[in-house]
């Protein structure tokens, strides 16, 4: 049977690793990107190495007005949708004593991690329900959304909103043919984190995450964490607020 995957933000390192894995598993792939040039090599690589098609569609997740057109131009209803857009705070914003002055960057983080995604995912849900096909929606969120921290208040709170929204649509679609899977990632070595000194032991590669994503889809999981992050976050969430507020991480 022909299987197809729609990967939102194909230029993400995790998206690219997952696209390669899915192409090996005989999925035809549609990638989206706001800078289509950045995905051209991946499209060529997948088209050259697999027997399946690979397409590229432009999409900026902040451009709400383009979403209806996006869905009406989709060639086929996918079996799997991987949702990858994400934006972290700049070092300047994190280190600033006047974070409120960065309103444009804060707005952009919220539009990329939360408001754009929840509008897009609402339309995706309607589209998949109407196509009446079995499918998985896999949403990349972050452990940063599990408890607000000093180091990434805007990224963390927008990912918290995204995790909460994915829980809502999972419940709404609970009796349907559509699985909604939230992948809560800890550290992963990608473009997003290459300026950080990440501890090896608890850091995953994009290829390891691709396998987690594929298994979560096959087993119709609800929420999955990478590496040891479920245990780490269980402990972090248990720290009483009067101690947590004095910690500096
Ligand atoms: N790496 C980690 O440690 C980590 C941890 C927790 C969660 N995550 C999440 O995992 C997902 C993938 O990130 P990654 O680690 O693979 O990093 P990445 O390689 O930097 O990917 C980030 C992706 O977000 C896309 N993006 C940014 N703004 C966008 C917009 N306005 N519209 C559409 N796409 C946009 C980027 O596209 P462009 O190429 O066009 O900029 C890129 O494809 C993100 O949601 C991230 O928050 C990552």
């Amino acid at each position: 049977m022909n299987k197809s995957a729609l990967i939102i933000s194909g230029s993400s390192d995790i998206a690219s690793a997952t696209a390669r894995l899915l192409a090996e598993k005989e999925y035809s792939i549609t990638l989206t990107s706001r800078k289509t040039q950045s995905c051209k090599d991946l499209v060529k690589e997948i088209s050259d190495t697999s027997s399946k098609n690979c397409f590229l569609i432009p999409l900026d997740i902040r451009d709400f007005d383009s979403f209806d057109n996006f869905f009406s131009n989709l060639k086929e209803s996918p079996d799997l949708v991987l949702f990858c857009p994400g934006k972290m705070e700049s070092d300047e914003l994190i280190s600033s004593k006047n974070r409120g002055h960065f309103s444009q960057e804060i707005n952009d983080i919220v539009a990329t991690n939360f408001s754009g995604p929840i509008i897009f995912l609402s339309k995706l849900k309607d589209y998949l329900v109407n196509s009446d096909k079995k499918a998985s929606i896999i949403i990349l969120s972050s452990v940063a959304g599990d408890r607000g921290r000093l180091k990434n208040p805007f990224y963390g709170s927008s990912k918290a909103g995204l995790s909460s929204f994915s829980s809502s649509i999972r419940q709404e679609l609970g009796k349907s043919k559509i699985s909604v899977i939230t992948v809560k990632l800890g550290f992963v070595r990608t473009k997003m984190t290459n300026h950080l000194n990440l501890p090896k032991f608890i850091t995953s590669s994009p290829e390891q995450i691709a396998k987690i994503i594929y298994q979560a889809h096959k087993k119709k999981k609800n929420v999955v964490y990478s590496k040891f992050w479920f245990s780490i976050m269980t402990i972090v969430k248990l720290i009483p607020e009067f101690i947590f507020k004095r910690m500096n991480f």
Side-chain angles (χ1 to χ4, degrees):
M1 201 182 72
N2 282 335
K3 295 171 288 183
S4 66
L6 170 64
I7 302 186
I8 309 301
S9 295
S11 60
S12 132
D13 289 331
I14 296 169
S16 310
T18 312
R20 290 188 182 97
L21 178 68
L22 292 172
E24 270 173 40
K25 307 276 181 199
E26 304 281 300
Y27 280 74
S28 63
I29 310 283
T30 300
L31 304 170
T32 77
S33 178
R34 58 183 175 147
K35 307 172 212 146
T36 45
Q37 198 58 35
S38 60
C39 280
K40 287 233 160 95
D41 288 348
L42 179 62
V43 170
K44 184 170 178 337
E45 180 196 320
I46 292 176
S47 304
D48 289 350
T49 55
S50 98
S51 57
K52 298 289 173 184
N53 293 322
C54 186
F55 303 103
L56 184 54
I57 309 180
L59 177 71
D60 187 320
I61 207 64
R62 298 163 301 180
D63 185 7
F64 315 150
D65 293 339
S66 70
F67 296 168
D68 286 336
N69 208 23
F70 175 87
F71 286 106
S72 46
N73 286 332
L74 268 190
K75 286 198 175 65
E76 61 180 327
S77 182
D79 302 273
L80 182 160
V81 182
L82 176 63
F83 189 83
C84 303
K87 183 176 168 67
M88 272 213 313
E89 291 99 339
S90 64
D91 289 344
E92 295 73 41
L93 170 51
I94 296 295
S95 55
S96 173
K97 296 254 181 301
N98 299 300
R99 289 175 170 180
H101 288 174
F102 289 72
S103 51
Q104 204 172 339
E105 182 179 340
I106 295 168
N107 205 17
D108 198 29
I109 291 168
V110 175
T112 307
N113 295 338
F114 181 64
S115 46
I118 68 170
I119 296 170
F120 183 86
L121 290 166
S122 300
K123 290 184 187 280
L124 171 69
K125 175 184 70 60
D126 297 344
Y127 174 88
L128 292 175
V129 168
N130 285 334
S131 71
D132 198 30
K133 200 173 144 184
K134 218 164 122 186
S136 299
I137 305 174
I138 305 165
I139 301 164
L140 298 192
S141 192
S142 172
V143 297
D146 279 8
R147 191 162 191 184
R149 288 190 306 119
L150 171 71
K151 298 273 168 71
N152 51 18
F154 307 105
Y155 176 78
S157 55
S158 54
K159 287 291 190 181
L162 180 64
S163 297
S164 169
F165 185 77
S166 48
S167 168
S168 306
I169 53 172
R170 181 163 40 252
Q171 197 175 40
E172 186 182 344
L173 296 174
K175 292 188 182 123
S176 77
K177 297 178 187 170
I178 302 162
S179 311
V180 179
I181 302 163
T182 315
V183 180
K184 292 190 175 182
L185 297 171
F187 298 140
V188 189
R189 248 180 329 272
T190 65
K191 290 190 288 299
M192 186 176 276
T193 53
N194 63 12
H195 61 294
L196 303 172
N197 193 10
L198 302 178
K200 247 186 173 170
F201 186 56
I202 50 172
T203 301
S204 305
S205 67
E207 290 71 25
Q208 288 171 323
I209 301 302
K211 286 186 191 148
I212 291 174
I213 289 169
Y214 185 66
Q215 285 308 317
H217 160 63
K218 294 302 280 179
K219 295 183 179 161
K220 300 193 189 330
K221 295 271 188 187
N222 296 312
V223 181
V224 291
Y225 283 77
S226 60
K227 244 180 184 171
F228 306 111
W229 284 92
F230 175 76
S231 310
I232 295 169
M233 293 317 295
T234 302
I235 295 167
V236 169
K237 284 189 283 189
L238 282 172
I239 301 171
E241 203 60 39
F242 72 92
I243 297 174
F244 194 73
K245 73 177 185 182
R246 292 189 165 81
M247 296 173 80
N248 186 23
F249 74 101

